[in-house]
Amino acid sequence: MITTFFGSDALGSNGAFLVALVLGFGFGVALELAGFGSSRKLSGIFYFRDMTVLKVMFTAMITAMLGLHLLLAVGVITNDQIYFLPTVYGAQILGGLIFGVGFAMAGWCPGTAAVGVASGRLDAVIFLVGAMVGSVLFNELYPTLAPVYHWGDVGVKFLWAALGVSSNVFVLVFAWVAVVAFWGAEWIEKKVAGTGVYLGSRFLKVFSIAILVVGVAQAILPSATPTPVATAGAGEPALLAAVEAGEDHIEPEELADRLMAGDKTLVLVDIRTPAEFAAFHIPGAVNVSVSELPDYLAPHKNQGTIVLYSNGMTHPAQARDALARLGFNNAYLLTDGLDGFMRRVLKPVSLREAPVPSDLGAKIRAWRLFFLGSPKSSAPQPALAPAEANKLVLPEWLAQNLSRQDVRIIDVRPQPAYNSGHIPGAVRVDPEHLRGVVGGVSSMLLPGDMIARHLGLLGITPKTTVVIVPSEKLQDATLVAIALERVGHRRYAILDGGWERWVAEKRPVDTALPEVHPTEYPFDPKADTFSVDYRTVLQHSERRTAVLLDVRPADAFSGKKVEEARGGHIPGAVNRPFTSDVATTNGTTALKPVAELEQAYAGLIPSKDSPVVVSCRTGHQASQTFYVLKHLLGYRNVMWYDGGWTEWASRPELPVESKP
């Protein structure tokens, strides 16, 4: 089976870049050979003088469709290795109209304009600059245009499923359409421009027969496509029967009881926008966009119970039906959505329209206590999402989830402090145990397989939610966090305010050692895409292709204080000490407000997509800045130089800058 860059989550790797570069050059050469370097030739399709655009595009579509469908049919590639573009009817129709008008007016599209630029076409340069300006404007106006961008979003929807036919039939019909289009294009060229050189030619006949043969061959394959969507039409009666029998939804009261009972088979998914999810959501839910549901829920397919909810029931119903067509027989929607859950589960007894029986009243009070916390406060308590959260969790959430078997608390304080009292169920991990000599450099983060062994001894699995408890040194917690990142463990968060806040809020403390059952943690060697070595940092320094952020104290950065082989900093680096991101209030050390951090880093880093390399002396302090940039502020291209100044200063061939 083929493993794609998308399937292995390696789209940001050097290998993926190289393949994309080669394919891009090949695509450009093909377009140039086809004449796409001339706007006159491109615009010829609007006057029926030159149908090259239609012929080239149909060739690309039919080749991709037949090839991909065949690979799927014989099992060489599977659905989870392919990114399926979501269907957004309104936005895509509007975008197509804008694209078409632009094409008709200029004779270029962005791709062909790039070919034209390579050929020295001035009008192509003007068009491409305009496209870039338009992209920048769209980015700046996105908050306003977001409703249009998502207008008509129905997730991943295949045309053959919408037509109620199998993909095999669709492929065969589309093959015929392609052949008719090729012959029709040649006929039109001959009638209008007197060309149509391929009309009736041996090449066109052989090419057409080859397309039809491949189309027919795939149509008669015993298992043409393993995609459940391909047979959606056959499943419609069963789907309708399930809806009629009420087997497609779960009641709010049942959901509340199962969540309170800690049902580990339950997967609760909030499909609203991230902003709505952040404002309030049912504790224990994760936020997943509709288009990402099949990939995210693949591990839970027909295992346990998947419950989808939004404010109402329309979108969850559509998503649930789509999942059912994909073979998910365990997907349900929440009756009346979040509004119904608030009304039927969380609404106080005193505000209900009708008298409430005593037994139901007791249940309502228990629900409110569980989901909202202390009855003195009706403010919703946050839940921890495994991958989408900002990696901070409040003591309220942890207190409510102490008894969960899928939560592991890691205390990074010194051993005597841990022995004197810790959060119930917590295990103590010395961050230094996750570091050692690697490549002759001391204090390096251990290789992923060794970290995975550590996690297994702690009883952690990929489905375990890890909560890290720091004390005064937040970087101890972030060093453990970056170790989790190295092996691909995304379900973790740091306790906001750490141990001091937990104690200040008078939450439970224990001295007993927890019961731990070792596991075999599966190591993903491709998970670490963020660690860089000195060679990469040197390239960025010489070419000025990344922001080099040194987070050591200012006197170490300037060279005034020397603790390594040499003093100073990497040429081109900027300095923001890691201590600038935290503040201590009433004995509790915590990160500064996000708005304050946003403003500070906006002055150092041009955009959220700018490459950033964070470093310190040994990678310890830099792990905190990595955490802040990536998980709290949303910077998308953050790298971590583990060797830091210890390695850089020890290599005499590497350049050094210093300032008084």
Side-chain angles (χ1 to χ4, degrees), residues 418-547:
Y418 170 83
N419 292 343
S420 299
H422 51 259
I423 299 174
V427 294
R428 193 260 171 178
V429 173
D430 189 331
E432 291 302 320
H433 292 170
L434 299 174
R435 303 206 292 177
V437 177
V438 178
V441 183
S442 60
S443 298
M444 294 282 284
L445 190 65
L446 294 176
D449 56 341
M450 297 181 70
I451 293 174
R453 177 66 175 148
H454 273 276
L455 298 182
L457 291 174
L458 294 172
I460 294 172
T461 73
K463 293 185 178 181
T464 302
T465 296
V466 177
V467 179
I468 312 168
V469 182
S471 185
E472 295 89 354
K473 296 172 66 176
L474 181 62
Q475 65 268 30
D476 283 349
T478 56
L479 186 62
V480 174
I482 212 163
L484 294 172
E485 297 260 355
R486 172 157 287 182
V487 297
H489 192 94
R490 301 289 183 258
R491 302 179 69 95
Y492 76 83
I494 294 174
L495 181 63
D496 193 15
W499 169 254
E500 285 75 15
R501 180 173 178 179
W502 182 270
V503 174
E505 295 182 3
K506 295 182 171 54
R507 300 195 180 275
V509 174
D510 199 355
T511 56
L513 294 176
E515 184 177 352
V516 175
H517 301 286
T519 64
E520 291 290 335
Y521 193 95
F523 166 52
D524 180 3
K526 299 178 181 178
D528 186 354
T529 59
F530 56 87
S531 296
V532 294
D533 60 15
Y534 74 90
R535 299 177 184 86
T536 301
V537 178
L538 179 61
Q539 289 179 356
H540 285 304
S541 174
E542 292 174 340
R543 301 172 185 176
R544 297 297 193 265
T545 49
V547 177

Side-chain angles (χ1 to χ4, degrees), residues 155-479:
V156 177
K157 193 175 185 66
F158 295 109
L159 182 57
W160 60 77
L163 296 174
V165 300
S166 71
S167 63
N168 299 34
V169 172
F170 181 84
V171 167
L172 179 59
V173 171
F174 198 82
W176 276 101
V177 170
V179 170
V180 171
F182 289 134
W183 283 81
E186 293 297 326
W187 182 82
I188 290 172
E189 284 185 352
K190 188 173 184 64
K191 286 292 183 181
V192 176
T195 53
V197 295
Y198 291 108
L199 184 64
S201 68
R202 181 179 180 184
F203 168 78
L204 186 57
K205 292 176 182 177
V206 173
F207 184 60
S208 301
I209 292 173
I211 290 175
L212 294 178
V213 168
V214 176
V216 171
Q218 295 190 65
I220 62 176
L221 285 172
S223 178
T225 304
T227 311
V229 174
T231 57
E236 293 297 328
L239 177 59
L240 294 173
V243 172
E244 184 178 18
E247 297 173 355
D248 62 334
H249 58 266
I250 184 172
E251 301 301 324
E253 295 84 357
E254 179 187 348
L255 176 64
D257 287 338
R258 292 179 65 173
L259 287 171
M260 284 185 64
D263 189 343
K264 298 182 180 61
T265 67
L266 192 64
V267 182
L268 183 60
V269 184
D270 187 322
I271 63 172
R272 298 175 302 154
T273 65
E276 291 176 301
F277 180 82
F280 174 65
H281 54 269
I282 301 174
V286 295
N287 186 218
V288 183
S289 66
V290 172
S291 62
E292 295 173 341
L293 284 174
D295 288 338
Y296 183 88
L297 295 173
H300 307 286
K301 187 173 183 179
N302 299 325
Q303 297 183 24
T305 304
I306 299 170
V307 180
L308 310 174
Y309 78 85
S310 183
N311 293 319
M313 294 178 65
T314 303
H315 286 164
Q318 293 171 335
R320 184 265 167 192
D321 292 348
L323 289 173
R325 296 186 183 100
L326 286 166
F328 286 80
N329 300 318
N330 61 327
Y332 302 84
L333 65 147
L334 178 61
T335 301
D336 297 332
L338 182 59
D339 294 339
F341 189 86
M342 299 285 287
R343 184 178 68 255
R344 294 167 58 176
V345 173
L346 300 182
K347 190 173 184 178
V349 173
S350 59
L351 298 180
R352 307 227 169 185
E353 293 77 10
V356 175
S358 58
D359 57 342
L360 178 58
K363 263 199 161 188
I364 292 171
R365 285 187 286 274
W367 288 333
R368 286 179 54 79
L369 181 61
F370 179 82
F371 291 108
L372 301 178
S374 171
K376 295 179 181 178
S377 172
S378 60
Q381 301 301 325
L384 174 65
E388 294 75 18
N390 63 4
K391 303 297 186 186
L392 273 179
V393 65
L394 295 177
E396 291 92 333
W397 184 91
L398 183 56
Q400 292 173 4
N401 291 274
L402 282 178
S403 60
R404 290 179 65 102
Q405 298 300 309
D406 57 349
V407 173
R408 171 63 70 205
I409 305 168
I410 292 181
D411 191 325
V412 296
R413 296 177 300 143
Q415 187 75 44
Y418 170 83
N419 292 343
S420 299
H422 51 259
I423 299 174
V427 294
R428 193 260 171 178
V429 173
D430 189 331
E432 291 302 320
H433 292 170
L434 299 174
R435 303 206 292 177
V437 177
V438 178
V441 183
S442 60
S443 298
M444 294 282 284
L445 190 65
L446 294 176
D449 56 341
M450 297 181 70
I451 293 174
R453 177 66 175 148
H454 273 276
L455 298 182
L457 291 174
L458 294 172
I460 294 172
T461 73
K463 293 185 178 181
T464 302
T465 296
V466 177
V467 179
I468 312 168
V469 182
S471 185
E472 295 89 354
K473 296 172 66 176
L474 181 62
Q475 65 268 30
D476 283 349
T478 56
L479 186 62

Side-chain angles (χ1 to χ4, degrees), residues 545-611:
T545 49
V547 177
L548 304 181
L549 187 57
D550 190 324
V551 304
R552 293 176 298 153
D555 55 358
F557 177 81
S558 67
K560 181 178 180 181
K561 182 179 180 180
V562 181
E563 295 181 323
E564 300 296 335
R566 292 181 289 172
H569 56 266
I570 300 170
V574 295
N575 181 228
R576 176 175 168 81
F578 75 102
T579 52
S580 301
D581 293 345
V582 297
T584 302
T585 305
N586 298 326
T588 299
T589 301
L591 288 165
K592 292 179 179 178
V594 170
E596 185 176 340
L597 295 172
E598 284 272 17
Q599 184 177 4
Y601 282 105
L604 297 174
I605 305 170
S607 76
K608 293 293 178 71
D609 289 313
S610 298

Side-chain angles (χ1 to χ4, degrees), residues 46 93-105 108-112 127:
F46 299 110
I93 291 172
L94 179 60
L97 290 173
I98 296 173
F99 183 89
V101 170
F103 198 177
M105 293 175 60
W108 299 105
C109 69
T112 56
F127 181 89

